[in-house]
Amino acid sequence: QVQLVESGGGLVQAGDSLRLSCAASGRTFSTNPMAWFRQAPGKEREFVTAISWNSVSTYYADSVKGRFTISRDNAKNTVYLQMNSLKPEDTAVYYCAASTRATMARSLYEYNYWGQGTQVTVSS
């Protein structure tokens, strides 16, 4: 059982940076692959990035590769998303997700636990 709560969203200008946090509760957090997804109005929820339980492996969507960085601190039960060089097309609600699978996944349906989301708005 994992409970997730995102924070850190806000309104920024293009080119600015934001860091999102995902606070997790649950004794199994340290063994869960974690991911960030995002959903813009009228669009499907899309994969952004994922990280393995021990931070050895990460994956990034092409749209954010080189700009976003996912990290985790298992001692603090927290996952982060550092977002640099933000673009208006990054505007979305960002969701933290946890998977019970042993390996990372990019599919929405492979994640069992979800946070409530945090809004990121990037103006031009």
Side-chain angles (χ1 to χ4, degrees):
Q1 296 280 60
V2 179
Q3 302 289 334
L4 307 173
V5 180
E6 304 97 331
S7 63
L11 173 63
V12 299
Q13 296 182 344
D16 285 352
S17 297
L18 274 178
R19 188 179 74 163
L20 306 183
S21 297
C22 174
S25 61
R27 66 184 68 184
T28 62
F29 168 78
S30 63
T31 65
N32 289 106
M34 301 290 293
W36 289 93
F37 290 77
R38 66 186 183 185
Q39 187 167 22
K43 297 183 179 180
E44 297 181 351
R45 191 170 299 186
E46 66 173 346
F47 171 82
V48 177
T49 181
I51 188 169
S52 62
W53 72 272
N54 58 1
S55 300
V56 170
S57 300
T58 57
Y59 286 117
Y60 295 93
D62 289 342
S63 59
V64 306
K65 190 175 182 63
R67 300 187 298 120
F68 290 10
T69 303
I70 187 172
S71 62
R72 67 191 297 167
D73 186 339
N74 289 346
K76 295 183 177 180
N77 288 350
T78 302
V79 178
Y80 304 97
L81 180 63
Q82 179 66 46
M83 304 184 293
N84 298 326
S85 301
L86 283 163
K87 304 175 181 180
E89 51 262 45
D90 294 320
T91 295
V93 176
Y94 283 71
Y95 296 91
C96 179
S99 174
T100 57
R101 296 182 62 192
T103 58
M104 294 185 297
R106 302 179 187 181
S107 172
L108 172 71
Y109 302 103
E110 298 295 336
Y111 291 86
N112 310 92
Y113 306 102
W114 294 85
Q116 84 288 352
T118 186
Q119 177 71 47
V120 173
T121 302
V122 185
S123 65
S124 60

